[in-house]
Amino acid sequence: MEKKENSKKKLSLTMQIFIALILAVITGLLMQKVPDITTSYIKPFGTIFLNLVKFIVGPLVLFSIMAGIVSMKDLKKLGAIGGTTLVYYFCTTAVAVSIGLTVATVFKGSFPALSTSSLTYTPPKSTTALDTLVNMFPSNFLVPISSANMLQIIVMALLIGFAIILLGEKVEGAIATINRWNEIFMKCIEMILKLSPIGVFCLLTPVIASNGAAVIGSLAKVLLIAYICYILHMLIVYSFTVATLGGVSPVKFFKEMAPAITLAFSSASSVGTLPLNIECTKKLGVPKEISSFVLPLGATINMDGTAIYQGVCAIFIAACYGIDLTFAQMVSIVLTATLASVGTAGVPGAGMVMLAMVLTSVGLPVDGIALVAGVDRIFDMGRTTLNITGDASCTLIVSNLMKKREAKLAAKN
């Protein structure tokens, strides 16, 4: 009996989530003829899990960023972390959309010939760069937290954190309070994450039941090419940067990231996966002061998976309309997708807004989005997984670079 109990205890969260994922795929395939049952009776429990994660993510990010800032007590260090993070995010996003365009162009001839007549699609309302800048600054203390607006929460945390650092010893009590609340919310998320296997099963089963047949249909090749690009970017770009700049073996990196990767794949929500991503990077040795700043920022502006999706879909839609994109148009797609990633919310379906912007920038018909809209959720699962893995790789790299920076400063002194 003792041996059996010990073996149950040894079953890691990673393995539990993986088992839940396999069971969800099997159950979803078996219930393809009755997808309404999975939507009505299984999905609600997945929604409950996702709601719990979303409930905690606002206050968790606010207090974890503030705790990270006040623990640094050095605005120059914070500036170095922020600068390194932004450069890495923009560079990897540009590389990602380039990979999507290149691979999709190579396999363009294998895309299915789909009819574009009678296509209609109304794109979601997009925002200008200036609107995005304005919307970064909150007009209310509670609304950003209740709506999980990551950019506004980050700005709030930065302002309060800076104020505490500038006030110095006068506010030691406030620093202690922030650290205590941070610990409380961390404990809450620890409790919620124990439900991850149930959440994964209940979120993924309805998706497989509803879309299983569609994946085998006419869009299978487009989906396959997108996933090939996701995997290439993950195995080449992230493995290279983690090994060379992060000082960690890619095998160890992906092993520790497995729980977050699995949850991201099933939930298709960067923000929803954020708490588990923080836990995974903690196991990789990243200090909380860095992960609490870099990861929320990444969940908001780092969209490598979404950028690949833009590239693949742009080539596919152009092919369906019989249009050959020029090199100049491809460069325009790279720039538009990279810049449009800033301010895109890390929630399911956000890629549609960016895709509409990308198509418009090169004169492709926005109605073409209707060709891929039906299986967007399948695209979204892969691109969200890539997005959060990119966030974690950046966190690891920034952490390693900051350690080297501090070592050099210590050596000079």
Side-chain angles (χ1 to χ4, degrees):
M1 285 292 290
E2 285 183 9
K3 286 184 179 179
K4 284 185 180 179
E5 286 177 8
N6 288 335
S7 65
K8 286 181 182 177
K9 288 179 182 178
K10 287 179 182 177
L11 196 62
S12 66
L13 182 63
T14 305
M15 187 54 66
Q16 290 177 41
I17 293 175
F18 181 73
I19 291 170
L21 186 145
I22 298 299
L23 290 174
V25 171
I26 294 170
T27 306
L29 291 173
L30 290 174
M31 301 188 76
Q32 282 187 78
K33 292 183 179 179
V34 283
D36 291 345
I37 292 177
T38 63
T39 304
S40 301
Y41 298 103
I42 296 178
K43 188 178 179 180
F45 294 98
T47 305
I48 289 171
F49 168 72
L50 213 50
N51 285 347
L52 285 173
V53 174
K54 288 178 179 178
F55 135 74
I56 203 70
V57 82
L60 175 70
V61 169
L62 178 66
F63 282 97
S64 64
I65 289 178
M66 286 195 295
I69 291 170
V70 298
S71 67
M72 278 188 265
K73 298 179 181 177
D74 183 358
L75 295 181
K76 285 184 179 179
K77 182 179 178 182
L78 185 63
I81 291 172
T84 305
T85 300
L86 289 174
V87 169
Y88 181 81
Y89 283 157
F90 278 114
C91 287
T92 55
T93 300
V95 170
V97 69
S98 300
I99 289 174
L101 285 169
T102 304
V103 176
T105 301
V106 170
F107 292 99
K108 184 171 66 173
S110 66
F111 283 143
L114 300 181
S115 173
T116 56
S117 59
S118 73
L119 277 182
T120 56
Y121 180 79
T122 305
K125 186 181 178 182
S126 60
T127 56
T128 65
L130 194 58
D131 287 337
T132 300
L133 179 64
V134 171
N135 292 334
M136 283 174 60
F137 298 90
S139 60
N140 183 293
F141 185 83
L142 296 176
V143 171
I145 299 172
S146 64
S147 61
N149 187 319
M150 288 298 109
L151 275 178
Q152 292 189 358
I153 291 172
I154 290 167
V155 170
M156 285 169 57
L158 288 172
L159 285 172
I160 298 170
F162 290 164
I164 291 171
I165 290 175
L166 293 171
L167 286 169
E169 295 179 1
K170 297 179 187 177
V171 288
E172 288 295 331
I175 293 173
T177 301
I178 287 170
N179 288 329
R180 294 292 172 271
W181 276 106
N182 187 39
E183 288 173 12
I184 290 169
F185 287 118
M186 283 293 182
K187 180 51 93 174
C188 281
I189 196 58
E190 188 181 309
M191 294 159 58
I192 293 169
L193 289 179
K194 288 181 180 178
L195 301 173
S196 295
I198 298 170
V200 166
F201 177 82
C202 295
L203 287 168
L204 193 55
T205 299
V207 175
I208 300 296
S210 301
N211 297 284
V215 176
I216 305 169
S218 60
L219 292 170
K221 288 180 180 177
V222 187
L223 286 163
L224 178 62
I225 288 169
Y227 272 83
I228 287 172
C229 293
Y230 295 151
I231 294 167
L232 283 175
H233 189 76
M234 190 178 288
L235 294 182
I236 296 172
V237 178
Y238 295 155
S239 293
F240 177 76
T241 54
V242 162
T244 56
L245 300 175
V248 172
S249 159
V251 174
K252 181 182 178 183
F253 172 72
F254 288 115
K255 182 181 177 182
E256 294 296 344
M257 281 300 299
I261 286 172
T262 312
L263 181 59
F265 184 78
S266 57
S267 68
S269 173
S270 297
V271 171
T273 311
L274 182 57
L276 188 54
N277 211 359
I278 291 173
E279 288 296 311
C280 290
T281 53
K282 182 181 176 183
K283 290 180 181 178
L284 285 163
V286 177
K288 193 185 293 183
E289 65 184 33
I290 291 177
S291 64
S292 63
F293 177 76
V294 176
L295 288 177
L297 188 61
T300 310
I301 70 169
N302 183 41
M303 300 286 165
D304 291 358
T306 311
I308 284 175
Y309 165 77
Q310 316 303 318
V312 171
C313 287
I315 296 292
F316 169 62
I317 290 169
C320 287
Y321 280 92
I323 300 169
D324 288 321
L325 294 176
T326 64
F327 179 74
Q329 285 176 308
M330 290 191 183
V331 171
S332 179
I333 289 173
V334 172
L335 293 173
T336 305
T338 303
L339 295 174
S341 65
V342 179
T344 304
V347 294
M352 287 296 199
V353 178
M354 283 178 65
L355 183 55
M357 293 171 68
V358 166
L359 295 179
T360 304
S361 72
V362 291
L364 287 173
V366 176
D367 287 350
I369 295 177
L371 292 167
V372 295
V375 290
D376 182 66
R377 174 65 191 227
I378 308 296
F379 281 114
D380 206 1
M381 290 158 67
R383 66 187 182 230
T384 302
T385 302
L386 194 65
N387 289 344
I388 67 100
T389 309
D391 299 344
S393 70
C394 181
T395 309
L396 198 63
I397 288 161
V398 170
S399 174
N400 190 45
L401 293 178
M402 287 303 109
K403 284 177 187 175
K404 289 181 178 179
R405 178 177 178 268
E406 288 172 4
K408 283 182 181 178
L409 292 173
K412 287 180 181 178
N413 296 330

